[in-house]
Amino acid sequence: MSLLALLDYASVLVFALTGALVASRAQLDLVGFAFVACLTAVGGGTMRDLLLDRDPVFWVGQPAYILIASGAAALVFFTAHLVESRYRLLIWLDSFALSIAVAAGTGVALAQAQPPVIVVLMGMMTGCLGGLMRDVVCNEVPLVLKQGELYVSCALAGAVAAMIATGLGLATLPALGLCALVCWGLRAGSLIFGWRLPVYKSRPPRTRG
Amino acid sequence: MSLLALLDYASVLVFALTGALVASRAQLDLVGFAFVACLTAVGGGTMRDLLLDRDPVFWVGQPAYILIASGAAALVFFTAHLVESRYRLLIWLDSFALSIAVAAGTGVALAQAQPPVIVVLMGMMTGCLGGLMRDVVCNEVPLVLKQGELYVSCALAGAVAAMIATGLGLATLPALGLCALVCWGLRAGSLIFGWRLPVYKSRPPRTRG
Amino acid sequence: MSLLALLDYASVLVFALTGALVASRAQLDLVGFAFVACLTAVGGGTMRDLLLDRDPVFWVGQPAYILIASGAAALVFFTAHLVESRYRLLIWLDSFALSIAVAAGTGVALAQAQPPVIVVLMGMMTGCLGGLMRDVVCNEVPLVLKQGELYVSCALAGAVAAMIATGLGLATLPALGLCALVCWGLRAGSLIFGWRLPVYKSRPPRTRG
């Protein structure tokens, strides 16, 4: 439980930074920064907790999450102009937030002994929904849907890795570490080396003709 | 209960196909297809279950829904290039999914003996929200809001028809069949014959002047 | 409890009017008006109730809310063409709805004796989320994020004012009145006199250089 709370704290912090960076692209004021930061930071975990009927939702029971997200927003508001490329920073922070949040969601569902499909899905949702809300609300192209990049796939792979690892008898802590590592490794590979899955083309490739 | 589960399965399957077709328009990869398909397939029913405090949410208790939606996404990924007009197919599949989902939502609320307004609203929400999420996330013009077409109205009419029919003593099965039929008939009429309701115009029509 | 229900009714009514006005800008039909009006009217309070695990959600337990929202939608559908500037009316009605809803959300969380951060956040969410959903679904620029205007800040200030006032021993009724007044006063000042907070600029202002 302590490990899971720690993962939630870390993912809230890093996702809040990404939310504030997107708010800086929309040139909002400090309260707007905090709003987008909180939405991004707790969005995925909130859906996870509502769906798994955890009571109370993680940040309702522990308001420190909101204070952390607001503090992160203030930090970005006053220092983001020092950053060379805010978009680059955003993309990389988002990759960390994604990986930690997938581990957090997977861990919560594992602790509830949910069936494998639900464990994997909760990991993916916790990881992807906060960023999706951030991008839909701020009218950015959702990273989730960005063509030719791995994103949801990374979340899927991380959650599946954790499932298999615990199935093979690995303890929760290393299994969730593996989850975050697999997820982040794939995302980083996609960003640096252009790793991708084949995308749908309306004309079929020759090999299938 | 068995009938209601069957309706949920059918609406998940058909909505997942529409989600995957929208994903094909956005040229996503296979995992992206599955993501949009699942969001579309379970979105409406999830809101219904959260609002009616059904525990657990239908697909959390029965992971087969997610497997069906993912399978449908894979089917579309590998075969959609065979289809002449994907948009036409999307619109018509969506009309079936809408009708089935309205019946599913209405049925669940009827089984809980909710008041008539809530029954009708749950039918409408279950029918409309999955497609709305699909369109908002993928940045399509929401079918729900497409000007000069019946959509939400079809859901309303179907749910009201089921309400009245059960009020007159009809059994659940034929009442929900009637619901789907009314909803689909109106939607098909709107698509084929251009049936519509008068829309708001900033200048009032002569007859009201 | 009676006061809280009254606040919910008032915010539902006024938010429904704003939703219908946005629907008129999208030239929807009568059912489309009712759909957007209901979404706007109950969106924020629904999230509040789901997060605070209030059972049932306020409008599920009392369908009159939906009828009021639908009635407001019909009123706008048939009379909005009489209004000189619908956008002006929308902005001002929204300012009233925001203020009332913030008071409603704050009041519910206070009645549950939630910690201060959660009280403030529930006030902000109840006030801001309905309008945010309306704007995202109808593809308007969200008022929440409109650059150079106070919006979320007004909600924050109102909720904080109510927190402090009850902390100083003020009764609930005047505290919530103060909440709405502070919120509306700031919003009106922002609309009339251009009050604003400094927004983020990628180049830092001289004073910080």
Side-chain angles (χ1 to χ4, degrees), chain C residues 106-172:
Chain C
T106 307
V108 166
L110 277 175
Q112 284 201 358
Q114 295 282 349
V117 175
I118 301 301
V119 170
V120 170
L121 216 69
M122 287 299 152
M124 294 172 71
M125 281 182 42
T126 311
C128 298
L129 285 194
L132 184 60
M133 292 180 196
R134 173 196 65 204
D135 295 340
V136 166
V137 165
C138 291
N139 216 13
E140 302 257 340
V141 177
L143 286 179
V144 166
L145 297 174
K146 220 157 165 204
Q147 204 187 325
E149 277 185 16
L150 299 181
Y151 194 95
V152 185
S153 312
C154 310
L156 173 64
V160 167
M163 263 319 299
I164 295 177
T166 51
L168 296 176
L170 206 64
T172 305

Side-chain angles (χ1 to χ4, degrees), chain C residues 63-134:
Chain C
Y65 289 107
I66 299 301
L67 299 176
I68 289 176
S70 305
L75 180 73
V76 171
F77 187 79
F78 289 116
T79 65
H81 63 276
L82 303 172
V83 175
E84 193 88 359
S85 165
R86 274 178 293 140
Y87 188 70
R88 232 178 120 78
L89 180 62
L90 165 59
I91 293 293
W92 282 99
L93 280 177
D94 184 85
S95 76
F96 290 115
L98 173 71
S99 311
I100 302 168
V102 169
T106 307
V108 166
L110 277 175
Q112 284 201 358
Q114 295 282 349
V117 175
I118 301 301
V119 170
V120 170
L121 216 69
M122 287 299 152
M124 294 172 71
M125 281 182 42
T126 311
C128 298
L129 285 194
L132 184 60
M133 292 180 196
R134 173 196 65 204

